[in-house]
Amino acid sequence: MKRVEGKVALITGAASGLGKAEAILLAREGAKVIVTDVNDEAGRKLAQEIDGAFIHHDVRSEDDWRRAIAFAVERYGKLDVLVNNAGIVVIADIETTSLEQYRLIHAIHSEGTFLGCKHGIEAMKKQGGSIINTASLSALRAYPPVVAYASAKGAIRSLSMTVAAHCQDKGYPIRSNVIFPGNIDTPLLEGAMGMKPPPGTGQPEDVANAVLYLASDESRFITGAEFVIDNGVSIRPGA
Ligand code: NAI
Protein backbone atom coordinates (compact mmCIF):
# COMPACT_ATOMS: atom_id res chain seq x y z
CA MET A 1 0.00 0.00 0.00
CA LYS A 2 1.39 3.38 -1.00
CA ARG A 3 1.42 6.03 1.69
CA VAL A 4 -1.04 8.51 0.15
CA GLU A 5 -2.87 6.12 -2.16
CA GLY A 6 -6.08 7.62 -3.53
CA LYS A 7 -5.54 11.07 -2.05
CA VAL A 8 -5.92 14.25 -4.08
CA ALA A 9 -3.25 16.87 -3.36
CA LEU A 10 -2.92 20.46 -4.56
CA ILE A 11 0.54 22.02 -4.26
CA THR A 12 1.11 25.71 -4.99
CA GLY A 13 4.35 26.88 -6.57
CA ALA A 14 4.99 23.27 -7.56
CA ALA A 15 6.84 23.98 -10.81
CA SER A 16 10.19 24.30 -9.00
CA GLY A 17 12.19 23.51 -5.89
CA LEU A 18 10.41 22.19 -2.82
CA GLY A 19 6.96 22.09 -4.42
CA LYS A 20 8.28 20.08 -7.34
CA ALA A 21 9.96 17.52 -5.08
CA GLU A 22 6.78 17.29 -3.00
CA ALA A 23 4.66 16.75 -6.12
CA ILE A 24 6.95 14.00 -7.39
CA LEU A 25 7.03 12.20 -4.03
CA LEU A 26 3.29 12.42 -3.35
CA ALA A 27 2.56 11.15 -6.87
CA ARG A 28 5.01 8.27 -6.41
CA GLU A 29 3.21 7.39 -3.17
CA GLY A 30 -0.17 7.16 -4.90
CA ALA A 31 -1.67 10.67 -4.81
CA LYS A 32 -3.25 12.51 -7.71
CA VAL A 33 -1.36 15.79 -7.69
CA ILE A 34 -2.56 19.13 -8.99
CA VAL A 35 0.50 21.21 -9.74
CA THR A 36 -0.27 24.92 -9.54
CA ASP A 37 2.08 27.78 -10.39
CA VAL A 38 2.48 31.00 -12.33
CA ASN A 39 5.18 29.27 -14.39
CA ASP A 40 2.94 27.48 -16.90
CA GLU A 41 5.63 25.79 -18.98
CA ALA A 42 7.48 24.12 -16.10
CA GLY A 43 4.22 23.36 -14.29
CA ARG A 44 2.66 21.62 -17.30
CA LYS A 45 5.81 19.60 -17.94
CA LEU A 46 5.92 18.35 -14.35
CA ALA A 47 2.21 17.52 -14.30
CA GLN A 48 2.69 15.40 -17.41
CA GLU A 49 5.67 13.59 -15.90
CA ILE A 50 3.80 12.63 -12.73
CA ASP A 51 0.46 11.91 -14.42
CA GLY A 52 -1.16 14.77 -12.53
CA ALA A 53 -2.79 17.99 -13.66
CA PHE A 54 -1.64 21.58 -13.99
CA ILE A 55 -3.58 24.76 -13.46
CA HIS A 56 -2.28 28.31 -13.74
CA HIS A 57 -2.67 29.82 -10.31
CA ASP A 58 -1.34 33.02 -8.83
CA VAL A 59 -1.76 32.55 -5.08
CA ARG A 60 -2.40 36.29 -4.65
CA SER A 61 -5.67 36.01 -6.56
CA GLU A 62 -8.82 34.85 -4.81
CA ASP A 63 -10.42 34.09 -8.19
CA ASP A 64 -7.46 31.85 -9.05
CA TRP A 65 -7.91 30.06 -5.72
CA ARG A 66 -11.61 29.48 -6.44
CA ARG A 67 -10.73 28.10 -9.88
CA ALA A 68 -7.92 25.87 -8.60
CA ILE A 69 -9.97 24.30 -5.82
CA ALA A 70 -13.01 23.87 -8.08
CA PHE A 71 -10.74 22.21 -10.64
CA ALA A 72 -9.54 19.69 -8.03
CA VAL A 73 -13.06 18.84 -6.97
CA GLU A 74 -14.43 18.63 -10.53
CA ARG A 75 -11.51 16.61 -11.90
CA TYR A 76 -10.91 14.26 -8.96
CA GLY A 77 -14.03 14.57 -6.82
CA LYS A 78 -12.39 15.93 -3.67
CA LEU A 79 -9.38 17.62 -2.10
CA ASP A 80 -7.47 15.77 0.64
CA VAL A 81 -4.17 17.62 0.85
CA LEU A 82 -3.28 21.27 0.34
CA VAL A 83 0.35 22.37 0.43
CA ASN A 84 0.74 26.14 0.60
CA ASN A 85 4.26 26.40 -0.80
CA ALA A 86 4.52 29.15 -3.44
CA GLY A 87 6.96 31.89 -2.61
CA ILE A 88 9.62 34.39 -3.54
CA VAL A 89 12.17 36.27 -1.48
CA VAL A 90 13.31 39.90 -1.60
CA ILE A 91 16.64 40.65 0.01
CA ALA A 92 16.16 43.95 1.80
CA ASP A 93 16.19 45.07 5.43
CA ILE A 94 13.82 47.31 7.36
CA GLU A 95 15.52 50.47 6.05
CA THR A 96 15.75 49.45 2.41
CA THR A 97 12.47 47.55 1.86
CA SER A 98 9.89 49.62 0.01
CA LEU A 99 6.23 49.42 0.96
CA GLU A 100 5.60 47.94 -2.49
CA GLN A 101 8.09 45.12 -1.85
CA TYR A 102 6.65 44.51 1.61
CA ARG A 103 3.14 44.25 0.21
CA LEU A 104 4.23 41.97 -2.62
CA ILE A 105 5.91 39.51 -0.25
CA HIS A 106 2.95 39.55 2.12
CA ALA A 107 0.49 39.15 -0.76
CA ILE A 108 2.24 35.98 -1.93
CA HIS A 109 3.13 34.36 1.38
CA SER A 110 0.70 35.63 3.98
CA GLU A 111 -2.37 36.40 1.88
CA GLY A 112 -1.73 33.45 -0.46
CA THR A 113 -1.65 31.06 2.49
CA PHE A 114 -4.70 32.72 4.04
CA LEU A 115 -6.67 32.29 0.82
CA GLY A 116 -5.51 28.70 0.50
CA CYS A 117 -6.64 27.83 4.03
CA LYS A 118 -9.94 29.65 3.60
CA HIS A 119 -10.91 27.99 0.32
CA GLY A 120 -9.22 24.69 1.18
CA ILE A 121 -11.31 24.34 4.35
CA GLU A 122 -14.48 24.87 2.34
CA ALA A 123 -13.57 21.97 0.04
CA MET A 124 -12.31 19.70 2.84
CA LYS A 125 -14.64 20.27 5.73
CA LYS A 126 -16.98 17.36 5.07
CA GLN A 127 -14.59 14.57 4.14
CA GLY A 128 -11.49 15.93 5.95
CA GLY A 129 -7.99 16.77 4.89
CA SER A 130 -4.48 17.94 5.67
CA ILE A 131 -3.21 21.48 5.15
CA ILE A 132 0.55 21.95 5.15
CA ASN A 133 1.83 25.49 5.33
CA THR A 134 5.37 26.50 4.42
CA ALA A 135 7.09 28.96 6.74
CA SER A 136 10.86 29.26 7.19
CA LEU A 137 13.47 29.54 9.94
CA SER A 138 13.07 33.28 9.46
CA ALA A 139 9.74 32.95 11.31
CA LEU A 140 11.62 31.65 14.36
CA ARG A 141 14.74 33.84 14.46
CA ALA A 142 15.67 37.38 13.50
CA TYR A 143 16.90 37.63 9.90
CA PRO A 144 17.43 41.36 9.26
CA PRO A 145 18.25 41.05 5.52
CA VAL A 146 14.79 39.62 4.69
CA VAL A 147 12.42 41.67 6.82
CA ALA A 148 9.31 41.36 4.63
CA TYR A 149 9.85 37.63 4.05
CA ALA A 150 10.47 36.95 7.75
CA SER A 151 7.38 38.83 8.90
CA ALA A 152 5.22 37.12 6.27
CA LYS A 153 6.52 33.72 7.39
CA GLY A 154 5.70 34.69 10.98
CA ALA A 155 2.14 35.37 9.85
CA ILE A 156 1.99 31.91 8.25
CA ARG A 157 3.10 30.32 11.53
CA SER A 158 0.30 32.01 13.49
CA LEU A 159 -2.25 31.38 10.76
CA SER A 160 -1.44 27.69 10.64
CA MET A 161 -2.04 27.05 14.34
CA THR A 162 -5.15 29.23 14.35
CA VAL A 163 -6.57 27.25 11.43
CA ALA A 164 -5.81 24.00 13.27
CA ALA A 165 -7.72 25.14 16.35
CA HIS A 166 -10.59 26.56 14.29
CA CYS A 167 -11.09 23.28 12.46
CA GLN A 168 -11.12 21.36 15.73
CA ASP A 169 -13.59 23.80 17.29
CA LYS A 170 -15.88 23.42 14.31
CA GLY A 171 -15.56 19.65 14.26
CA TYR A 172 -14.00 19.63 10.79
CA PRO A 173 -11.67 16.64 10.32
CA ILE A 174 -8.96 18.91 8.90
CA ARG A 175 -5.41 19.09 10.21
CA SER A 176 -3.19 22.14 9.73
CA ASN A 177 0.55 22.00 10.29
CA VAL A 178 3.47 24.22 9.42
CA ILE A 179 6.98 23.39 8.25
CA PHE A 180 10.10 25.49 8.74
CA PRO A 181 12.72 24.48 6.19
CA GLY A 182 16.29 25.61 6.75
CA ASN A 183 18.51 26.33 3.76
CA ILE A 184 17.44 24.00 0.97
CA ASP A 185 19.15 23.84 -2.42
CA THR A 186 16.57 25.36 -4.78
CA PRO A 187 16.56 28.19 -7.34
CA LEU A 188 15.15 30.48 -4.60
CA LEU A 189 18.11 29.87 -2.28
CA GLU A 190 20.63 30.07 -5.11
CA GLY A 191 19.16 33.44 -6.12
CA ALA A 192 19.24 34.69 -2.53
CA MET A 193 22.85 33.56 -1.98
CA GLY A 194 24.01 34.66 -5.41
CA MET A 195 25.88 31.36 -5.80
CA LYS A 196 25.33 27.61 -5.83
CA PRO A 197 24.60 26.53 -2.22
CA PRO A 198 27.57 24.69 -0.65
CA PRO A 199 27.69 20.89 -0.30
CA GLY A 200 25.76 19.71 2.73
CA THR A 201 22.86 22.11 2.11
CA GLY A 202 19.47 20.40 2.47
CA GLN A 203 17.86 18.91 -0.60
CA PRO A 204 14.21 19.42 -1.65
CA GLU A 205 13.56 15.72 -0.94
CA ASP A 206 14.41 16.34 2.74
CA VAL A 207 11.40 18.64 2.95
CA ALA A 208 9.22 16.50 0.67
CA ASN A 209 9.61 13.55 3.05
CA ALA A 210 8.15 15.61 5.91
CA VAL A 211 5.31 16.80 3.67
CA LEU A 212 4.56 13.20 2.68
CA TYR A 213 4.25 12.26 6.35
CA LEU A 214 1.94 15.21 7.09
CA ALA A 215 -0.14 14.45 4.00
CA SER A 216 -0.56 10.79 4.94
CA ASP A 217 -2.82 9.29 7.58
CA GLU A 218 0.32 8.33 9.54
CA SER A 219 0.11 11.86 10.99
CA ARG A 220 -3.60 11.65 11.81
CA PHE A 221 -2.99 12.69 15.47
CA ILE A 222 -0.89 15.69 14.51
CA THR A 223 -2.40 19.13 14.04
CA GLY A 224 -1.26 22.61 15.01
CA ALA A 225 2.29 21.26 14.98
CA GLU A 226 5.51 22.87 13.82
CA PHE A 227 8.24 20.96 11.98
CA VAL A 228 11.73 22.39 11.72
CA ILE A 229 13.64 20.77 8.86
CA ASP A 230 17.14 22.22 9.14
CA ASN A 231 19.52 19.47 10.31
CA GLY A 232 19.75 21.15 13.71
CA VAL A 233 21.01 24.53 12.51
CA SER A 234 18.52 26.50 14.61
CA ILE A 235 19.31 24.78 17.93
CA ARG A 236 22.89 26.12 17.85
CA PRO A 237 23.80 29.26 19.79
CA GLY A 238 24.22 32.16 17.39
CA ALA A 239 21.95 30.63 14.74
P1 NAI B 1 11.53 28.09 -5.94
O1 NAI B 1 11.83 29.46 -6.44
O2 NAI B 1 12.35 26.95 -6.40
O3 NAI B 1 9.99 27.73 -6.22
C1 NAI B 1 8.96 28.63 -5.89
C2 NAI B 1 7.83 28.47 -6.89
O4 NAI B 1 6.78 29.38 -6.52
C3 NAI B 1 8.23 28.81 -8.33
O5 NAI B 1 7.85 27.76 -9.21
C4 NAI B 1 7.46 30.09 -8.62
O6 NAI B 1 7.08 30.21 -10.00
C5 NAI B 1 6.26 29.94 -7.70
N1 NAI B 1 5.62 31.22 -7.42
C6 NAI B 1 6.20 32.41 -7.17
N2 NAI B 1 5.26 33.35 -7.01
C7 NAI B 1 4.05 32.74 -7.16
C8 NAI B 1 2.71 33.18 -7.12
N3 NAI B 1 2.40 34.47 -6.89
N4 NAI B 1 1.73 32.27 -7.29
C9 NAI B 1 2.03 30.98 -7.55
N5 NAI B 1 3.28 30.51 -7.63
C10 NAI B 1 4.28 31.39 -7.44
O7 NAI B 1 11.57 28.24 -4.34
P2 NAI B 1 11.63 27.13 -3.17
O8 NAI B 1 12.92 27.26 -2.50
O9 NAI B 1 11.19 25.82 -3.67
O10 NAI B 1 10.53 27.72 -2.18
C11 NAI B 1 9.29 27.10 -1.91
C12 NAI B 1 8.77 27.59 -0.57
O11 NAI B 1 9.68 27.18 0.44
C13 NAI B 1 8.65 29.11 -0.46
O12 NAI B 1 7.50 29.43 0.28
C14 NAI B 1 9.91 29.49 0.32
O13 NAI B 1 9.74 30.69 1.02
C15 NAI B 1 10.02 28.28 1.25
N6 NAI B 1 11.33 28.10 1.84
C16 NAI B 1 12.42 27.81 1.06
C17 NAI B 1 13.67 27.64 1.64
C18 NAI B 1 14.89 27.33 0.85
O14 NAI B 1 16.01 27.37 1.42
N7 NAI B 1 14.79 27.00 -0.42
C19 NAI B 1 13.85 27.77 3.10
C20 NAI B 1 12.62 28.05 3.82
C21 NAI B 1 11.42 28.20 3.20
Side-chain angles (χ1 to χ4, degrees):
M1 181 74 174
K2 294 180 174 177
R3 292 171 65 189
V4 283
E5 188 78 56
K7 291 194 187 293
V8 177
L10 188 154
I11 306 176
T12 68
S16 172
L18 304 188
K20 181 176 179 179
E22 292 158 8
I24 291 169
L25 186 58
L26 290 185
R28 193 186 306 148
E29 287 297 332
K32 279 293 172 201
V33 178
I34 298 138
V35 171
T36 89
D37 207 291
V38 288
N39 182 342
D40 294 2
E41 196 184 333
R44 271 203 193 93
K45 185 167 175 283
L46 176 64
Q48 239 173 16
E49 285 165 10
I50 63 173
D51 193 22
F54 172 76
I55 183 161
H56 178 90
H57 175 199
D58 184 331
V59 294
R60 292 172 292 176
S61 158
E62 188 157 22
D63 281 348
D64 279 12
W65 269 109
R66 287 197 183 95
R67 268 195 292 275
I69 303 265
F71 176 83
V73 174
E74 277 157 28
R75 169 76 68 102
Y76 299 115
K78 59 178 181 163
L79 180 66
D80 300 298
V81 177
L82 168 63
V83 187
N84 285 309
N85 164 78
I88 63 167
V89 65
V90 169
I91 311 289
D93 65 25
I94 185 66
E95 296 185 73
T96 57
T97 300
S98 67
L99 181 57
E100 198 182 16
Q101 287 173 320
Y102 192 84
R103 285 181 175 154
L104 171 67
I105 291 290
H106 276 258
I108 294 175
H109 291 276
S110 171
E111 292 181 19
T113 303
F114 157 74
L115 289 170
C117 292
K118 183 176 170 69
H119 291 280
I121 287 171
E122 193 51 43
M124 290 173 164
K125 65 187 181 190
K126 286 210 183 82
Q127 104 280 349
S130 172
I131 299 175
I132 300 150
N133 298 305
T134 309
S136 140
L137 291 191
S138 64
L140 304 173
R141 299 278 183 279
Y143 284 89
V146 290
V147 64
Y149 181 83
S151 61
K153 292 302 196 184
I156 290 173
R157 181 189 191 192
S158 304
L159 180 73
S160 189
M161 71 169 101
T162 305
V163 165
H166 172 84
C167 290
Q168 277 195 333
D169 291 349
K170 293 281 182 180
Y172 304 151
I174 301 173
R175 300 181 292 108
S176 169
N177 293 292
V178 57
I179 58 171
F180 301 86
N183 279 354
I184 310 290
D185 189 350
T186 68
L188 179 142
L189 182 68
E190 190 169 337
M193 292 177 79
M195 55 180 257
K196 185 86 191 135
T201 303
Q203 294 302 307
E205 294 71 27
D206 297 320
V207 177
N209 282 319
V211 166
L212 171 62
Y213 171 65
L214 291 172
S216 79
D217 294 338
E218 294 160 26
S219 58
R220 67 184 184 183
F221 203 60
I222 296 177
T223 191
E226 307 192 329
F227 285 74
V228 175
I229 307 160
D230 71 345
N231 197 29
V233 164
S234 57
I235 60 171
R236 301 280 171 190

